[in-house]
Amino acid sequence: MANLGTRIYTRFKGRLVGKDADGRCYYEARTLNRTGGGEKRHERWVIYHKGEDASAVPPEWWGWLHHMDAEPLPESARQPWQQPWQPNRTGTPEAYHPPGSDTQGGQRASTTSDYEAWYPEG
């Protein structure tokens, strides 16, 4: 969700390039801007949905947004092994907890490796 300043800037300086499958809008500046390295290129940005973080950008748009691709990849270029985006679940009840973690009872399976714990002399 863009604030008022971003909406005004987008209205006067931006050109809508496209939308992703989830409805996020991607823009490019109408004029060239000089980067820190001295080259000139169009500034690019995305308008997120309320409450989203930057990890919500799908791979089809990520390369374009970061000036790695000249055009966004078509949705049809998505590979069958690519999974849809999911928000980071760390800190929520849906977070991954491997077997043996404290939330899973704190008991892990015994190991058959050659690991020996070190104990201080004393």
Side-chain angles (χ1 to χ4, degrees):
M1 190 80 173
N3 63 27
L4 180 61
T6 303
R7 287 193 304 245
I8 292 171
Y9 183 83
T10 300
R11 174 83 169 109
F12 290 105
K13 301 278 187 173
R15 173 182 71 85
L16 179 66
V17 174
K19 293 183 178 187
D20 65 19
D22 293 325
R24 289 176 213 88
C25 297
Y26 295 84
Y27 293 91
E28 186 171 64
R30 293 184 183 130
T31 58
L32 293 171
N33 296 330
R34 190 173 299 277
T35 65
E39 67 178 300
K40 288 186 174 184
R41 64 183 183 188
H42 295 276
E43 179 184 11
R44 296 173 176 174
W45 66 94
V46 59
I47 304 295
Y48 297 100
H49 298 302
K50 187 173 184 168
E52 281 188 327
D53 62 24
S55 70
V57 174
E60 295 84 24
W61 285 93
W62 192 92
W64 175 85
L65 191 61
H66 292 89
H67 296 277
M68 297 176 74
D69 299 323
E71 298 291 326
L73 295 174
E75 186 85 22
S76 61
R78 193 169 193 73
Q79 300 297 321
W81 49 263
Q82 290 177 306
Q83 305 230 343
W85 176 81
Q86 292 181 353
N88 186 343
R89 301 193 192 301
T90 302
T92 69
E94 295 88 32
Y96 172 72
H97 300 288
S101 70
D102 288 339
T103 59
Q104 300 294 334
Q107 298 294 320
R108 66 175 182 83
S110 60
T111 181
T112 59
S113 68
D114 58 352
Y115 173 80
E116 290 183 29
W118 176 84
Y119 297 100
E121 293 180 24

